[in-house]
Amino acid sequence: MIYQSFAQLYDDLFDPAMYDQWLDFVASRVAPTDGPLLDLACGSGRLGVQLAENGYTVSGLDLSEEMLALAAKHAQEAQVDFPLMQGNMLDLSGLADQYQTVTCFADSFCYLEGLAAVTTAFKQVRDHLLPGGKFLFDVITPHQTDDVYPGYMYNYVDDQRAFLWTSYGIEDEAHSVDHDLTFFIHDMDDDAYHKVTELHHERTYPLTDYRKALAAAGLTLQRVSADFGQHDVADDTTRWFFEVTREA
């Protein structure tokens, strides 16, 4: 029940403008007629629904049943076809299909435990990507984990809830951060606020490590950019956007 509460709260509070930017990033690189698309770690399905609304043949996969339930709800409300699957990106052997495009955004790879796990996930993508297919994803940068997030705080309050977000750097693990997330949710039955907490851990790596992991997975890196593909990377880039292909 706690994570179910978080799934809905994340969905409510996430900046919708970012979904528009991810959609533009995909649409400028992949056409709806190019073939089937798999959105890994699709979460509440906001991006997948937008892709479906724009003519893409898109499916979604996520580890969380609660997120998939929200995704199904959003697809039904939008009246689009958006097949959903529960699964772990570290083992996609249960997927029978291959895809022309695989996407994975919102720094989902940064939640995996170690670079070996990231490489495994890349290999799973390669195995389910058609030759000539594209793999589009993003991750936060070491600048984000090392310079921006430590000491970061964000607070949100409305009539029914309050949200407190505090981030901490991790001294003994390079380019890592913990996010301490706390919600106070108003219960009208007893006119009280109930506290719900969760700790999220993220880790990223130098760009050279991602290049090596992609190569080890049999994938070809075409470009890394910043700002949803609008600019070249710089020292102060907070999120890298990767354009990758499977050549054979």
Side-chain angles (χ1 to χ4, degrees), residues 10 19 29 31 70 82 90 92 95 117 119 128 173 198 223:
Y10 294 155
Y19 294 115
R29 289 153 180 84
L70 284 173
F82 182 34
L90 296 177
L92 300 177
L95 296 184
T119 305
H128 291 83
E173 186 177 86
E198 195 166 278
R223 185 187 181 218

Side-chain angles (χ1 to χ4, degrees), residues 99-102 129-135 219-220 244-248:
Y99 300 86
Q100 188 63 35
T101 306
V102 175
L129 196 62
L130 289 165
K134 294 182 180 180
F135 175 32
L219 294 164
T220 302
V244 178
T245 56
R246 175 185 172 181
E247 296 302 313

Side-chain angles (χ1 to χ4, degrees), residues 22 40-41 89-90 104-119 121-122 135 137-146 149 170 173-179 199-207 209-210 237-242:
W22 280 313
L40 278 181
M89 69 173 72
L90 296 177
C104 188
F105 296 117
D107 45 276
S108 296
F109 289 118
C110 297
Y111 289 90
L112 296 177
E113 192 172 343
L115 187 60
V118 174
T119 305
F122 289 168
F135 175 32
F137 70 94
D138 65 16
V139 296
I140 53 175
T141 66
H143 170 61
Q144 179 78 6
T145 57
D146 300 354
Y149 269 146
I170 309 299
E173 186 177 86
H175 314 313
S176 297
V177 63
D178 281 341
H179 305 295
L199 183 69
H200 284 198
H201 180 76
E202 286 192 272
R203 184 177 185 182
T204 195
Y205 307 92
L207 188 53
D209 286 354
Y210 286 109
T237 296
T238 57
R239 187 185 297 270
W240 289 319
F241 292 80
F242 290 77

Side-chain angles (χ1 to χ4, degrees), residues 66-79:
E66 291 81 8
M67 285 294 187
L68 289 172
L70 284 173
K73 176 176 176 287
H74 295 321
Q76 183 179 26
E77 290 172 346
Q79 298 182 336

Side-chain angles (χ1 to χ4, degrees), residues 8-236:
Q8 182 65 64
L9 291 164
Y10 294 155
D11 189 43
D12 290 344
L13 295 177
F14 200 92
D15 181 5
M18 292 193 71
Y19 294 115
D20 295 334
Q21 292 173 299
W22 280 313
L23 175 64
D24 290 343
F25 181 74
V26 175
S28 62
R29 289 153 180 84
V30 179
T33 55
D34 284 349
L37 183 152
L38 174 66
D39 189 27
L40 278 181
C42 67
S44 66
R46 296 286 191 178
L47 176 61
V49 168
Q50 287 187 330
L51 287 165
E53 288 177 325
N54 282 270
Y56 289 84
T57 302
V58 55
S59 301
L61 182 141
D62 202 273
L63 188 62
S64 166
E65 290 183 1
E66 291 81 8
M67 285 294 187
L68 289 172
L70 284 173
K73 176 176 176 287
H74 295 321
Q76 183 179 26
E77 290 172 346
Q79 298 182 336
V80 296
D81 184 22
F82 182 34
L84 297 166
M85 300 163 284
Q86 184 181 20
N88 190 327
M89 69 173 72
L90 296 177
D91 183 7
L92 300 177
S93 59
L95 296 184
D97 296 329
Q98 287 186 300
Y99 300 86
Q100 188 63 35
T101 306
V102 175
T103 60
C104 188
F105 296 117
D107 45 276
S108 296
F109 289 118
C110 297
Y111 289 90
L112 296 177
E113 192 172 343
L115 187 60
V118 174
T119 305
T120 295
F122 289 168
K123 289 178 179 177
Q124 292 295 303
V125 169
R126 192 265 180 196
D127 289 346
H128 291 83
L129 196 62
L130 289 165
K134 294 182 180 180
F135 175 32
L136 308 175
F137 70 94
D138 65 16
V139 296
I140 53 175
T141 66
H143 170 61
Q144 179 78 6
T145 57
D146 300 354
D147 304 321
V148 178
Y149 269 146
Y152 175 83
M153 297 183 67
Y154 172 78
N155 299 329
Y156 172 88
V157 179
D158 63 21
D159 293 339
Q160 298 299 321
R161 60 199 168 183
F163 173 48
L164 311 178
W165 171 5
T166 306
S167 297
Y168 308 92
I170 309 299
E171 291 185 1
D172 57 352
E173 186 177 86
H175 314 313
S176 297
V177 63
D178 281 341
H179 305 295
D180 187 356
L181 309 177
T182 302
F183 286 95
F184 293 91
I185 306 167
H186 184 243
D187 187 334
M188 297 185 66
D189 292 338
D190 58 9
D191 194 26
Y193 283 86
H194 298 278
K195 182 180 179 181
V196 182
T197 63
E198 195 166 278
L199 183 69
H200 284 198
H201 180 76
E202 286 192 272
R203 184 177 185 182
T204 195
Y205 307 92
L207 188 53
T208 53
D209 286 354
Y210 286 109
R211 293 181 185 273
K212 291 176 182 177
L214 288 166
L219 294 164
T220 302
L221 177 60
Q222 301 293 344
R223 185 187 181 218
V224 185
S225 59
D227 304 317
F228 296 87
Q230 299 300 310
H231 300 99
D232 292 333
V233 298
D235 291 341
D236 61 350

